[in-house]
Amino acid sequence: MLFAPAAVLAFAFALFTVGSSPTLSVAALPKGAPRCIISKAAITAKHGNPTQTLGFAITAPATYTPGSAAALPIQLTGLPAFTSGGILAYVNTTTRAAAAAESHVGAFMATTKIRAQTASACQAANVSNESPTSTITHSAPLANTAVQTLWWTPPAANVGTVQVNVVVATGTVGKPWMILQSVMVAAA
């Protein structure tokens, strides 16, 4: 597990799938999301309008302890079973200057099918990653059950309240996708 050296910001998780329909499906790339931030406009332009009534939710602890080496569980609940999904996840602060680069902080645990997002994708989006695994995506299509758990280690510094963000696509062509309601996590 990799640990973040500094601060917490907002967490975003995006689930994509393999396919190519221009309707309400998401055609995720089988080896990872092409972006470093969640953009409803960018996803809709490629994959059609999201479905906002899928019943997915984010569950996260109410607080984090800056500098703690203990990883916190970030759970996605209400997910249907699927066999070709993917993710994009990050944590960033809730405030930043308008012209400043977005900072992704803390570190996620990389697993067999979860990898760090490429530095070039994040640089292109003007995103600064505190750790190589501050922004993660899938490295191969994921199978899923009703609950998906990601483990996230808080940054060393107290950056105040952070926001957890997630976008989910449920499977192959023709399957709906949605951006989940954000969850706030306060510094302890």
Side-chain angles (χ1 to χ4, degrees), residues 18-86:
V18 181
S20 60
S21 173
T23 61
L24 285 179
S25 65
V26 172
L29 299 176
K31 294 187 178 185
R35 300 192 176 267
C36 195
I37 58 173
I38 293 173
S39 166
K40 180 179 179 182
I43 298 169
T44 299
K46 297 286 185 180
H47 306 294
N49 291 320
T51 302
Q52 295 299 324
T53 58
L54 297 176
F56 305 153
I58 301 169
T59 302
T63 62
Y64 70 92
T65 302
S68 173
L72 301 176
I74 306 292
Q75 293 187 320
L76 305 179
T77 60
L79 301 175
F82 57 82
T83 59
S84 59

Side-chain angles (χ1 to χ4, degrees), residues 76-187:
L76 305 179
T77 60
L79 301 175
F82 57 82
T83 59
S84 59
I87 68 167
L88 171 64
Y90 58 89
V91 173
N92 65 329
T93 60
T94 57
T95 60
R96 69 180 169 98
E102 181 168 325
S103 296
H104 295 179
V105 297
F108 287 96
M109 181 184 345
T111 63
T112 304
K113 293 185 177 184
I114 302 292
R115 65 168 173 82
Q117 180 56 290
T118 63
S120 61
C122 292
Q123 290 166 353
N126 197 27
V127 170
S128 171
N129 281 320
E130 176 184 353
S131 161
T133 58
S134 293
T135 306
I136 57 171
T137 188
H138 56 287
S139 58
L142 301 174
N144 194 46
T145 57
V147 176
Q148 175 76 39
T149 301
L150 297 175
W151 293 94
W152 178 75
T153 302
N158 180 345
V159 296
T161 299
V162 299
Q163 185 176 354
V164 179
N165 303 287
V166 177
V167 58
V168 175
T170 61
T172 58
V173 173
K175 301 297 181 183
W177 68 277
M178 72 178 281
I179 298 172
L180 282 64
Q181 178 65 45
S182 297
V183 172
M184 306 305 272
V185 180

